[in-house]
Amino acid sequence: MKRILVIEDDPDIAHLVELHLLDQNYQVDLTESGQTGAERALNGQYDLIVLDLMLPDLNGMDVCRRIRLEKVATPIIMLTARSEEIDKVLGLESGADDYITKPFSIREFLARVKAILRRTGDPETLAQKGSLIRTDVLEIDIDNRIVRRAGERVELTPKEFELLALLARYPGRSFSREQLLNRVWGDQFAGYEHTVNSHINRLRAKIEADPSQPKFVLTTWGIGYRFSDAL
């Protein structure tokens, strides 16, 4: 059973979200505290975190940053009543995988939840097709969404994995930030190209021996990024 952590201080929204997630046979842990939510996220094994932006103690941006700084790769859907573009940009750049503005349709919310859980999947339910990309010390298992560096597993967020997998499928091909944004995040995030930069930086910090001199994910100046074809 999928476990979902909901960090939301509005009791009406929290109850509504919990009720519909339970109806979909998910296990739900609920808290109204950003501090408590961050601790649970770091200590618990969750398949998804639903995170409100405006919390009474530790705000959602800080919770998200803390989770990502600790290299917890659990996907995060951020909920907020603030619809300004800068808030969406900051939310995505802090490490959120999706962003939903209140008020939202519960049908849309459940669709986003299912889409993220479907992409991440379970090792026991994913097809074993043997689709592997191996280059130097890096191994990318596309079907099981597993990355290893020198034999050690690397924990990537869903977006970090999708970026890496897309680039690695086409070594030497340069993708603009807009192309990467559209392919990985979708058309609804058009204009948030700086989000790509933030995720590339975090990805490099995880897979590169020296992120300042990357060996795998390279910058194509004036265009965007590419995966090395010289390995």
Side-chain angles (χ1 to χ4, degrees):
M1 180 182 291
K2 300 287 189 181
R3 294 185 65 207
I4 299 178
L5 174 63
V6 177
I7 310 172
E8 169 63 69
D9 68 320
D10 184 316
D12 292 331
I13 295 177
H15 178 69
L16 180 68
V17 166
E18 181 185 30
L19 186 66
H20 283 85
L21 290 175
L22 290 172
D23 191 52
Q24 297 295 314
N25 295 317
Y26 300 125
Q27 181 180 334
V28 181
D29 287 348
L30 188 63
T31 179
E32 64 181 18
S33 163
Q35 183 66 41
T36 301
E39 292 170 0
R40 289 187 183 179
L42 296 177
N43 297 324
Q45 296 295 320
Y46 292 100
D47 298 287
L48 176 66
I49 298 168
V50 178
L51 174 62
D52 184 30
L53 177 61
M54 302 300 292
L55 295 166
D57 48 359
L58 189 65
N59 71 53
M61 295 288 188
D62 290 334
V63 173
C64 190
R65 291 189 187 101
R66 181 175 171 187
I67 291 170
R68 295 306 185 223
L69 283 173
E70 294 294 329
K71 298 186 178 179
V72 173
T74 308
I76 296 172
I77 295 178
M78 191 169 282
L79 303 179
T80 178
R82 296 160 63 174
S83 59
E84 288 83 356
E85 181 176 335
I86 186 62
D87 294 316
K88 293 182 181 179
V89 171
L90 291 174
L92 295 172
E93 290 187 356
S94 67
D97 297 279
D98 205 348
Y99 190 107
I100 301 178
T101 303
K102 302 174 185 176
F104 54 84
S105 156
I106 197 66
R107 182 177 295 179
E108 177 192 4
F109 169 74
L110 291 175
R112 301 276 192 96
V113 168
K114 290 176 181 178
I116 285 183
L117 292 175
R118 185 169 58 249
R119 287 200 301 270
T120 53
D122 268 330
E124 55 266 28
T125 59
L126 286 167
Q128 302 295 315
K129 298 179 182 177
S131 178
L132 294 176
I133 298 174
R134 292 190 179 96
T135 177
D136 195 66
V137 298
L138 199 65
E139 180 182 287
I140 307 166
D141 184 338
I142 300 295
D143 295 309
N144 293 310
R145 301 179 70 91
I146 294 173
V147 175
R148 291 185 174 89
R149 187 183 183 280
E152 295 291 326
R153 183 161 179 169
V154 180
E155 295 296 336
L156 301 182
T157 69
K159 297 305 181 188
E160 290 166 356
F161 179 85
E162 288 162 27
L163 272 174
L164 178 61
L166 173 58
L167 292 168
R169 282 190 180 104
Y170 303 95
R173 175 177 169 181
S174 295
F175 289 86
S176 70
R177 291 167 181 81
E178 182 180 5
Q179 288 174 321
L180 293 172
L181 187 71
N182 288 339
R183 288 204 182 197
V184 174
W185 279 266
D187 295 340
Q188 69 268 34
F189 293 109
Y192 301 157
E193 284 81 4
H194 287 295
T195 296
V196 175
N197 299 350
S198 300
H199 280 73
I200 289 289
N201 289 338
R202 280 195 290 269
L203 176 59
R204 283 173 170 168
K206 294 179 179 181
I207 67 170
E208 304 282 2
D210 181 359
S212 66
Q213 298 183 34
K215 184 177 181 180
F216 301 108
V217 178
L218 308 179
T219 300
T220 304
W221 298 108
I223 299 178
Y225 300 99
R226 71 185 189 280
F227 194 84
S228 176
D229 60 350
L231 298 173

